Amino acid sequence: MNEKIHTEEVSHLFEAILTLKDSDECYKFFEDLCTINELLSLSQRFEVASMLRKKKTYLEIAEKTGASTATISRVNRSLNYGNDGYDMVFQRMGDD
């Protein structure tokens, strides 16, 4: 894991996120926390990861999500060489 993000502030943010109980609370919190573009970018990356796990091509992913090939490549690197965070979440969601 990247030690640069292990700060008191990031830990405090994660503690706050872990208090959220449902999608409605997530919408309220993240709409206050993020700009619309930041939230859309996060959700786009998550969709890209889902499609990559389903073996979709870069072209299919770009057409469906509007993501650039650079974004798709970055997410692909995270899936292949990251901390397995995407896989952990997808498994918990039953998307594996």
Side-chain angles (χ1 to χ4, degrees):
M1 275 189 257
N2 189 335
E3 292 301 318
K4 291 180 181 179
I5 68 166
H6 287 261
T7 66
E8 186 176 329
E9 294 82 5
V10 172
S11 292
H12 195 215
L13 172 62
F14 290 166
E15 288 172 23
I17 292 168
L18 289 169
T19 69
L20 301 172
K21 294 179 176 82
D22 56 31
S23 293
D24 187 52
E25 288 187 2
C26 288
Y27 273 101
K28 289 176 182 177
F29 181 70
F30 281 96
E31 283 185 51
D32 285 350
L33 179 67
C34 300
T35 66
I36 291 170
N37 286 337
E38 289 168 336
L39 194 50
L40 292 175
S41 291
L42 290 171
S43 63
Q44 181 187 64
R45 283 184 225 145
F46 192 69
E47 182 64 19
V48 166
S50 176
M51 293 181 74
L52 284 167
R53 291 179 85 242
K54 294 173 183 165
K55 306 297 185 204
K56 301 295 183 186
T57 67
Y58 276 34
L59 181 59
E60 290 172 306
I61 295 168
E63 287 176 352
K64 181 169 189 287
T65 67
S68 68
T69 55
T71 295
I72 298 167
S73 179
R74 180 192 177 284
V75 172
N76 196 40
R77 260 192 318 278
S78 292
L79 284 169
N80 291 315
Y81 305 108
N83 296 303
D84 298 324
Y86 281 118
D87 289 334
M88 174 185 62
V89 169
F90 285 125
Q91 286 174 4
R92 289 180 183 171
M93 293 176 68
D95 289 349
D96 50 354

